[in-house]
Amino acid sequence: MSVLPVAIIGAGPIGLAAAAHLLERGLQPMIFEAGPTPGAAISAWGHIRLFSPWQFNVDAAARRLLEPTGWASPRGTALPYGSELVANYVAPLAAVPAIAETLRLNTRVIAVTRQGMDKTRTNGRDTQTFLVRSHGPNGVEDHLVRAVIDASGTWDQPNPLGQGGLPAHGETEAHHFITHPLPDVTGNDRKTFEGKRVMVVGAGHSAANTLIALGQVARASEDTTIIWAVRGTGSADRLYGGGDLDGLPARGQLGSRLRKLVEDGIVELRTSFTITGFTAGDALTVHTADGSVDVDVLIPATGFRPDLGILREIRLELDPAVEAPRALGPLIDPEFHSCGTVQAHGAKELAHPDKDFYLVGMKSYGRAPTFLMATGYEQVRSVVAAIAGDTAAAADVRLELPETGVCSTDLGGSCDAPAPDLTDEADSCCGTPQLVTIGVPTGTVHGRSNDPGY
């Protein structure tokens, strides 16, 4: 079993960082990427600029693997676009021969199990190899591996638009009116929104970024109407985040700019907006308990959830609220904690009853949106140490993050992205974010919906 590779599901920054740590310890990765290129999910929002500067976006083991190739690290204080993160970091890392030869592109993992054992079998389970079933260019294949690190993220699993976590009636039939999350509003997708009545649904940073971009379109095309629909009630102030107090200045400016759009009447804010159904015709009629509104386009920004279907034969222990590993779930509650207050955590908190199986990265946070790449890098360092049998290194978890308290309203995705399309001057303001050194995962207790804003 010890000579078998370790499966990594997902070739984004976290999955490739896991591969770098495995290689440093003399272990062989086997990387599965459903997309046509490494970092395919990030490429889908490549037009978006991250909140966190480069200094938080490069894993230490990945850096050590890249530097001998002549790779030059980007300026630490710069805020990369998603496309730059891929071009200047993810793609070069995936091209390192030791990683490239283990990478299977256009290959989707469709199931994970123990070889010869379903979920009900216990005797000898911890020492039995894993079987990873994939579908790729060669059809369906089975692969035997010693451990599994699932870093597949949540991008392919957006939350539905209806109440109670369910699709609204008619949501499937309305799909022609509903865009993908984070469209390129001012770029390739601009014509979809110009001169249209557009609704953005959601209360997080992804919604805010989209609304700011739509505001640019509306100023240039006065017949563009923007409706911002959120489920939450009460003061709109909580929707705008930390402003000047945010430890990531780019994110603080996001809330300030959004507030001005609402105050100037460019964005119409509707609170207590619970969608009960859709009727698709010449326009899309959005039904609520109190009435209906017609729109031409609807942009969902209601967050994401993990795809757990491929893990039906794995013994998981998940938090019942956020669908993160049970020990991690109470520590990342988005109603009480932000990205910057997350304490470092590793293999201990990420472990499941099936030994040597780990969820890492955005997927490890389940439905909680408060994930940062830097957190994921420390996760995989600890997890790989545990797989290698180095229990001391696995337990010694450390993390430095920008101090902030605004992520509890971010339901659109990780806290690294998106940020507004800021100028170079704004970029430079992030040169010296305040750091706080911490040492175990984020949170206290829950007892709430995981989407306080929408």
Side-chain angles (χ1 to χ4, degrees), residues 100-238:
E101 64 190 19
T102 72
L103 180 57
R104 291 164 165 78
L105 298 173
N106 293 305
T107 303
R108 181 176 295 276
V109 171
I110 56 177
V112 181
T113 187
R114 292 279 188 177
Q115 184 187 18
M117 289 184 169
D118 66 13
K119 184 184 284 188
T120 66
R121 295 277 301 280
T122 299
N123 189 34
R125 189 173 188 88
D126 283 353
T127 58
Q128 188 69 342
T129 59
F130 287 93
L131 184 149
V132 175
R133 178 164 292 175
S134 67
H135 183 270
N138 298 322
V140 176
E141 296 180 287
D142 289 343
H143 313 269
L144 298 181
V145 297
R146 61 176 292 182
V148 178
I149 300 173
D150 186 348
S152 57
T154 58
W155 177 254
D156 289 337
Q157 291 280 121
N159 285 325
L161 291 160
Q163 59 183 325
L166 300 177
H169 295 292
E171 186 167 332
T172 301
E173 294 76 11
H175 71 276
H176 292 300
F177 293 94
I178 301 171
T179 73
H180 56 82
L182 291 173
D184 189 0
V185 172
T186 60
N188 293 333
D189 300 325
R190 186 183 186 108
K191 291 188 182 301
T192 303
F193 309 107
E194 258 182 344
K196 303 292 178 60
R197 186 169 173 82
V198 184
M199 175 178 285
V200 177
V201 181
H205 297 120
S206 298
N209 186 82
T210 300
L211 288 159
I212 288 170
L214 285 168
Q216 296 177 36
V217 173
R219 286 191 173 99
S221 177
E222 293 184 359
D223 51 350
T224 302
T225 303
I226 307 168
I227 300 171
W228 178 19
V230 298
R231 182 179 294 163
T233 59
S235 171
D237 289 345
R238 65 183 297 277

Side-chain angles (χ1 to χ4, degrees), residues 82-451:
S83 58
E84 293 172 332
L85 181 68
V86 172
N88 298 329
Y89 175 58
V90 173
L93 181 57
V96 173
I99 288 183
E101 64 190 19
T102 72
L103 180 57
R104 291 164 165 78
L105 298 173
N106 293 305
T107 303
R108 181 176 295 276
V109 171
I110 56 177
V112 181
T113 187
R114 292 279 188 177
Q115 184 187 18
M117 289 184 169
D118 66 13
K119 184 184 284 188
T120 66
R121 295 277 301 280
T122 299
N123 189 34
R125 189 173 188 88
D126 283 353
T127 58
Q128 188 69 342
T129 59
F130 287 93
L131 184 149
V132 175
R133 178 164 292 175
S134 67
H135 183 270
N138 298 322
V140 176
E141 296 180 287
D142 289 343
H143 313 269
L144 298 181
V145 297
R146 61 176 292 182
V148 178
I149 300 173
D150 186 348
S152 57
T154 58
W155 177 254
D156 289 337
Q157 291 280 121
N159 285 325
L161 291 160
Q163 59 183 325
L166 300 177
H169 295 292
E171 186 167 332
T172 301
E173 294 76 11
H175 71 276
H176 292 300
F177 293 94
I178 301 171
T179 73
H180 56 82
L182 291 173
D184 189 0
V185 172
T186 60
N188 293 333
D189 300 325
R190 186 183 186 108
K191 291 188 182 301
T192 303
F193 309 107
E194 258 182 344
K196 303 292 178 60
R197 186 169 173 82
V198 184
M199 175 178 285
V200 177
V201 181
H205 297 120
S206 298
N209 186 82
T210 300
L211 288 159
I212 288 170
L214 285 168
Q216 296 177 36
V217 173
R219 286 191 173 99
S221 177
E222 293 184 359
D223 51 350
T224 302
T225 303
I226 307 168
I227 300 171
W228 178 19
V230 298
R231 182 179 294 163
T233 59
S235 171
D237 289 345
R238 65 183 297 277
L239 301 173
Y240 302 128
D244 293 339
L245 300 179
D246 197 310
L248 291 174
R251 188 169 56 207
Q253 291 182 36
L254 184 69
S256 300
R257 293 174 69 182
L258 179 57
R259 180 194 296 272
K260 182 168 176 54
L261 286 173
V262 174
E263 291 175 348
D264 291 349
I266 296 172
V267 170
E268 176 192 348
L269 173 60
R270 297 194 182 192
T271 58
S272 302
F273 195 93
T274 300
I275 297 175
T276 58
F278 295 105
T279 301
D282 292 336
L284 178 65
T285 302
V286 183
H287 301 282
T288 72
D290 301 319
S292 63
V293 58
D294 288 346
V295 298
D296 299 307
V297 187
L298 187 149
I299 303 174
T302 51
F304 300 84
R305 59 181 61 178
D307 177 8
L308 301 173
I310 65 171
L311 307 177
R312 288 181 60 88
E313 295 304 325
I314 293 296
R315 292 183 176 181
L316 301 176
E317 189 170 10
L318 298 174
D319 176 82
V322 296
E323 297 182 324
R326 182 177 289 273
L328 180 60
L331 307 173
I332 58 173
D333 189 322
E335 285 197 348
F336 300 101
H337 298 277
S338 72
C339 336
T341 63
V342 62
Q343 294 177 298
H345 56 275
K348 178 182 177 181
E349 292 79 16
L350 298 169
H352 290 276
D354 255 326
K355 184 177 181 292
D356 289 336
F357 174 86
Y358 296 93
L359 299 173
V360 299
M362 189 68 209
K363 190 168 184 176
S364 72
Y365 273 42
R367 301 191 187 196
T370 48
F371 175 77
L372 280 167
M373 268 190 290
T375 305
Y377 293 152
E378 181 61 7
Q379 285 182 341
V380 297
R381 184 208 60 77
S382 174
V383 162
V384 169
I387 292 171
D390 188 346
T391 55
D396 184 21
V397 288
R398 301 174 182 273
L399 193 61
E400 286 188 339
L401 293 175
E403 189 173 13
T404 177
V406 308
C407 296
S408 62
T409 60
D410 181 10
L411 306 177
S414 80
C415 295
D416 291 298
D421 187 3
L422 301 174
T423 64
D424 290 339
E425 180 181 358
D427 188 33
S428 67
C429 78
C430 299
T432 55
Q434 182 179 358
L435 294 180
V436 54
T437 303
I438 45 190
V440 194
T442 136
T444 54
V445 295
H446 22 224
R448 47 71 192 114
S449 161
N450 84 305
D451 56 353

